[in-house]
Amino acid sequence: MSSNPEHDTVAYAVEDGVAWVKFNRPQKRNAMSPALNRRMMAVLDELEFRDDVAVLVLTGEGSAWTAGMDLQEYFRDTEADGLAGTRKAQRESYGWWRRLRWYQKPTIAMVNGWCFGGGYGPLFACDLAFAAEEAKFGLSEINWGILPGGGASKVAAELLSFRRAMYHAMLGEPIDGRTAADWGLVNEALPAAALRTRVNEVAQALRKKNPVALKATKDAVRRVREMTYDNAEDFLVRAQEAANSYDEGRKEGLKQFLDEKSYKPGLGAYDLTKQRA
């Protein structure tokens, strides 16, 4: 058991190729403090290139995923140090969200409970998201007199329709996991008891994919969202050529399909063990 309070704000365990990372401030509904943000950056560093980690799942301890930014520690306490304190806190939080958006490994948000305000930053940073039907999502900033900042408004505009984004941000009303799935904030909503099983099922499916291709794919989908079609087409050609230059996955996949006829691309992944042999 650690005696370091900052260290204890995040917990993780690695099981069967999956790093299960938890916000670990249940008594504060996992609100993100400067200490938690610093620790999360360190945890991402520790796990990113570990050979026994193929997928990272981000979840929360207790009844919340994260209630957003800690109003006392993130806002009031840092603002006491003036603009320098505010900017430092922003760098620490936005920094690990940015790292997570471009992480080397596939990432899944497993939203087990409350996801509010600043929590939309890491929610969007994860490649996939699954929620408990009982989970609550909300942009509550309007209720205490600020706009949904720190990327939250951008996340709403990216993932929701214009009218839904406006309603969500302007009313500050929470929605449940089912509605979040219907609106597109998450991929699926499931009963809480089935959530971890489903997320692990998806994580194990990702483990069977070529890791170089997965990284290139997740980066490509994020990048092309803001490109014209012609620019995206050119970018994707170059990205594929770059991946091919140092990974034999494409050749192995083609060999197993065309020569060995041992798999069909539309029905599953090629056998990675033959590539590694």
Side-chain angles (χ1 to χ4, degrees):
M1 188 76 174
S2 171
S3 60
N4 183 334
E6 180 168 315
H7 184 279
D8 293 342
T9 58
V10 179
Y12 71 81
V14 177
E15 302 172 12
D16 296 326
V18 181
W20 299 88
V21 179
K22 284 186 175 182
F23 297 111
N24 193 38
R25 302 182 75 217
Q27 74 284 4
K28 297 287 188 179
R29 294 192 185 274
N30 297 323
M32 290 177 283
S33 63
L36 181 146
N37 291 328
R38 288 190 294 270
R39 179 58 186 151
M40 190 62 78
M41 182 69 88
V43 167
L44 294 181
D45 285 342
E46 291 170 20
L47 296 173
E48 188 163 21
F49 293 100
R50 275 181 50 164
D51 291 338
D52 61 339
V53 173
V55 179
L56 184 147
V57 174
L58 181 58
T59 189
E61 182 64 42
S63 63
W65 195 66
T66 175
M69 311 314 290
D70 187 305
L71 301 191
Q72 178 70 44
E73 296 184 34
Y74 183 84
F75 288 104
R76 179 171 286 176
D77 291 352
T78 60
E79 288 167 4
D81 294 328
L83 185 60
T86 297
R87 290 290 182 260
K88 182 175 186 293
Q90 289 169 342
R91 286 194 302 271
E92 290 172 341
S93 57
Y94 305 166
W96 78 262
W97 302 348
R98 188 174 301 114
R99 279 285 311 284
L100 192 60
R101 284 201 303 275
W102 305 106
Y103 208 57
Q104 186 68 28
K105 310 291 175 66
T107 56
I108 304 173
M110 187 173 82
V111 185
N112 54 301
W114 289 24
C115 176
F116 279 75
Y120 281 40
L123 177 69
F124 182 66
C126 289
D127 304 317
L128 302 172
F130 296 81
E133 292 174 344
E134 303 88 337
K136 296 295 183 185
F137 295 77
L139 295 180
S140 56
E141 287 87 343
I142 195 68
N143 294 333
W144 56 282
I146 69 168
L147 62 83
S153 292
K154 173 63 171 172
V155 173
E158 282 282 313
L159 298 182
L160 308 178
S161 70
F162 174 75
R163 293 300 179 198
R164 281 177 173 165
M166 281 295 193
Y167 188 94
H168 198 50
M170 293 177 69
L171 272 294
E173 297 175 356
I175 59 174
D176 64 17
R178 296 181 190 87
T179 303
D182 180 57
W183 284 13
L185 276 174
V186 299
N187 294 96
E188 298 175 21
L190 305 97
L195 182 59
R196 183 183 170 100
T197 297
R198 174 58 176 149
V199 169
N200 189 55
E201 179 182 88
V202 173
Q204 296 305 324
L206 289 170
R207 283 185 69 194
K208 297 177 181 178
K209 313 295 184 186
N210 179 297
V212 174
L214 278 175
K215 171 61 173 165
T217 297
K218 54 187 256 163
D219 287 359
V221 172
R222 287 192 187 273
R223 293 293 187 195
V224 301
R225 290 173 69 88
E226 298 178 357
M227 295 181 185
T228 65
Y229 187 91
D230 285 345
N231 286 344
E233 187 178 73
D234 184 66
F235 168 80
L236 293 170
V237 167
R238 309 304 166 205
Q240 182 64 68
E241 289 172 349
N244 290 348
S245 70
Y246 67 93
D247 179 65
E248 293 296 313
R250 180 172 177 272
K251 292 180 181 178
E252 181 64 32
L254 288 175
K255 183 178 76 172
Q256 290 181 29
F257 174 61
L258 296 173
D259 303 329
E260 299 174 3
K261 303 190 185 306
S262 57
Y263 95 112
K264 296 179 180 180
L267 302 179
Y270 72 86
D271 187 349
L272 279 177
T273 61
K274 292 184 177 181
Q275 181 181 335
R276 294 167 181 160

